[in-house]
Amino acid sequence: MTSDTIDPAAVAAPSPDHAPHHRARAMGAGGLAFARIAAQAMQFGLFLYTARVLSTADFGVFSLAYTIIVGLTVLAEAGWREWVLCARDPRQIDEAGGAALITGAVIVLAGLGLLAAGRLLAINPALIMVGGLLLPWIVARPLVCVQMGVLTRAARLSHIAVVQTACELAGLITGVALLHRGAGLAALAWAKLALLGVELAGYTIAARRLGLALPRRDAMRHMARFSLHITSARVLTYWQGNMTTLVIGAAFPPALVGLYRAAMRLAGMAQEVIREPARMVGWSWLRTAHDPDHAATAGLGLQAAAHRFLDLAITVGSGLLVVLALESDSVVRLLLGARWGDAAVLVALLALGTVARLPQALAEPLFPLLGKAWLTRHLALLTAGAGLACFMIALPFGLTMVALADMVAALLMLGPMLAYLVDEGGLAPGLVMRPFVLAALSGLGCAALAWILPVHTAAGGVLALAVLARDALALIAAYAALQLALRRAITAAQPFRSPLIFFRKTVR
């Protein structure tokens, strides 16, 4: 497919009528947040139902097979979504689709080789069966990422939200139905494939096209170089997370492993609700601000948009994560039961560590748009090194110290991350630190309120849910009130009234 067959509306810059565009973008951001919340709820529901139907061993087999497939998929995705978002020539978007299909096919061959080796070595037949069923995931997922990039580039975040909700619902219905009919492990594999099929079809319908073009020889070098930086960062992130799980499984008894996995599940659910909408909104905002025509007419530059997005991401993300950390005991007892109560402190520490990682949502789009994609690999190497060092030091001292080490590693990497944003991203140091200072002071105020709130002992039921809702709403209200009060106080004492005003006065 040639570039002159592309519908310009699918990849065009935002309309000059900026007020409707900003409203649509805000609605899309809210839709993405709702979609992620709904997706996490449906995934958690399927997890609970699976735990009632399958044995622990069967669930472990599927987890291992899916982890291997996800690792291969990370290689197949190869950063083509980011290439689409950074592309300036519509032909490059079609070439990303062709490259995604090629990398997916190549990695599938590697997956077939692993399955053949596993069969020769007489590895668990169920593991081979699930891995074979999930092989189409490796081919289709890169195309999904490309289509997601096309929609994000066109600021169609509401379309992405609708498709994500629909595909998660398809996976939930397929999984529950097949599990109910006794399909066993195959039910979970077919549920994943149903989810992916609906997602690919939905994104393609929303984009009104699926561009596939063989990359030109002169473009291959640029694409390979760009892909190397993004893929290296993703592989390191994947390896860091899964290496931790494997080592914990080897070092601790099953009961403690279950506690840590439950804590990771709850903290990870909150992280996904925040991270995915933030990542897509960040790409959309910064890609729009980076467009020369739009920046000239709107009076908004890339750095100004980056300051505004960082302020929003830190303020909203920190509020949700701080509330989760303070109410972790109630959340764990309500969702998992009283016998899982020891996981509460792990959830709190993992949630607080996620706060320090929120600037990654800005670094991911900012550096590639500035032509510095190699910084993502550099930061990923530093993050992996810090996380591995802290993890290995804390491992002999128990799970609580492992969770604390995760938070310490995140705090250690916060300094280099902010330094890169200032030195390489061109951001103002005071404006980069401001959201963290406000979030820290507001979080301390919420902690004081949580200390004052009466302690309840109900482990479950309507009463426990009502008390949790009351306490969470009180903490959210306190956080919002403290943010407003502190912003007014700091505004009067500091030379900046808002990120946007300060940036215009000092730079423009």
Side-chain angles (χ1 to χ4, degrees):
M1 182 177 294
T2 60
S3 60
D4 35 321
T5 63
I6 294 177
D7 178 9
V11 293
S15 167
D17 186 6
H18 302 300
H21 175 73
H22 290 321
R23 285 195 298 269
R25 192 168 57 189
M27 292 175 61
L32 277 176
F34 173 79
R36 291 313 302 172
I37 293 172
Q40 291 295 327
M42 287 185 277
Q43 290 174 12
F44 195 69
L46 181 59
F47 166 73
L48 293 179
Y49 187 75
T50 300
R52 294 176 180 272
V53 176
L54 297 182
S55 67
T56 304
D58 285 341
F59 188 76
V61 168
F62 177 80
S63 299
L64 179 58
Y66 184 64
T67 298
I68 296 172
I69 292 296
V70 169
L72 295 174
T73 305
V74 169
L75 297 175
E77 290 175 359
W80 301 132
R81 179 178 65 174
E82 287 74 15
W83 176 266
V84 169
L85 290 167
C86 296
R88 295 197 174 273
D89 179 8
R91 164 79 184 185
Q92 294 176 313
I93 299 175
D94 287 353
E95 290 177 339
L101 195 59
I102 293 171
T103 55
V106 170
I107 300 301
V108 159
L109 294 177
L112 288 171
L114 290 176
L115 292 177
R119 189 168 183 176
L120 289 175
L121 296 173
I123 293 178
N124 190 334
L127 182 65
I128 304 298
M129 181 269 294
V130 174
L133 285 176
L134 289 174
L135 279 180
W137 183 280
I138 301 174
V139 178
R141 182 63 194 175
L143 295 175
V144 167
C145 292
V146 170
Q147 295 298 85
M148 189 184 301
V150 171
L151 293 176
T152 304
R153 177 188 177 94
R156 297 181 181 177
L157 303 184
S158 58
H159 293 75
I160 296 177
V162 171
V163 173
Q164 287 186 349
T165 304
C167 70
E168 290 291 349
L169 182 60
L172 174 64
I173 293 173
T174 303
V176 170
L178 292 178
L179 284 170
H180 182 71
R181 293 178 65 87
L185 284 173
L188 298 180
W190 285 113
K192 290 294 183 183
L193 295 180
L195 181 153
L196 192 65
V198 172
E199 190 174 19
L200 179 58
Y203 287 153
T204 303
I205 292 171
R208 301 187 182 92
R209 61 188 306 279
L210 176 60
L212 298 174
L214 188 65
R216 295 161 294 184
R217 182 173 298 180
D218 58 340
M220 283 295 294
R221 290 191 300 271
H222 301 291
M223 296 180 73
R225 192 178 304 114
F226 184 93
S227 172
L228 176 62
H229 299 313
I230 301 297
T231 305
S232 298
R234 297 284 168 81
V235 168
L236 287 171
T237 301
Y238 164 83
W239 174 249
Q240 183 183 14
N242 289 277
M243 180 274 299
T244 300
T245 302
L246 293 173
V247 174
I248 288 176
F252 295 104
L256 293 181
V257 175
L259 283 176
Y260 197 82
R261 287 180 64 86
M264 290 180 64
R265 179 74 177 182
L266 291 176
M269 181 171 62
Q271 181 178 348
E272 285 298 313
V273 168
I274 297 168
R275 183 176 61 183
E276 282 302 314
R279 177 182 295 168
M280 293 186 183
V281 171
W283 271 107
S284 179
W285 282 20
L286 270 64
R287 179 65 178 81
T288 300
H290 192 53
D291 186 275
D293 296 331
H294 176 77
T297 55
L300 185 66
L302 180 62
Q303 279 72 24
H307 280 303
R308 187 173 61 174
F309 172 72
L310 180 64
D311 193 11
L312 176 65
I314 299 301
T315 301
V316 176
S318 297
L320 296 176
L321 291 168
V322 165
V323 171
L324 174 62
L326 295 175
E327 291 295 317
S328 59
D329 186 68
S330 300
V331 171
V332 168
R333 290 178 182 275
L334 179 64
L335 294 180
L336 303 179
R339 63 191 179 93
W340 293 89
D342 292 339
V345 64
L346 305 179
V347 172
L349 292 173
L350 293 173
L352 292 176
T354 303
V355 173
R357 296 188 176 95
L358 290 174
Q360 291 178 356
L362 173 61
E364 284 190 10
L366 180 62
F367 293 140
L369 287 173
L370 292 174
K372 301 178 180 179
W374 60 271
L375 286 174
T376 59
R377 182 178 61 171
H378 196 180
L379 284 170
L381 285 169
L382 291 175
T383 301
L388 178 61
C390 292
F391 172 75
M392 297 308 295
I393 292 172
L395 187 62
F397 301 100
L399 285 185
T400 301
M401 293 303 297
V402 168
L404 180 61
D406 179 82
M407 185 179 70
V408 171
L411 291 173
L412 288 176
M413 277 305 303
L414 182 60
M417 173 67 74
L418 298 183
Y420 272 114
L421 291 175
V422 172
D423 295 339
E424 302 289 346
L427 304 189
L431 295 180
V432 169
M433 291 301 302
R434 183 187 187 226
F436 287 99
V437 174
L438 296 176
L441 294 176
S442 301
L444 290 175
C446 289
L449 177 60
W451 184 269
I452 297 172
L453 289 173
V455 179
H456 65 90
T457 57
V462 178
L463 177 59
L465 179 61
V467 173
L468 175 60
R470 181 203 66 187
D471 293 350
L473 289 175
L475 292 173
I476 291 173
Y479 182 88
L482 287 169
Q483 279 281 335
L484 292 174
L486 289 169
R487 285 173 184 273
R488 290 187 177 183
I490 292 179
T491 297
Q494 298 294 333
F496 47 84
R497 292 186 176 87
S498 74
L500 197 54
I501 292 174
F502 174 73
F503 189 78
R504 286 176 178 172
K505 287 184 176 180
T506 56
V507 178
R508 292 185 61 83

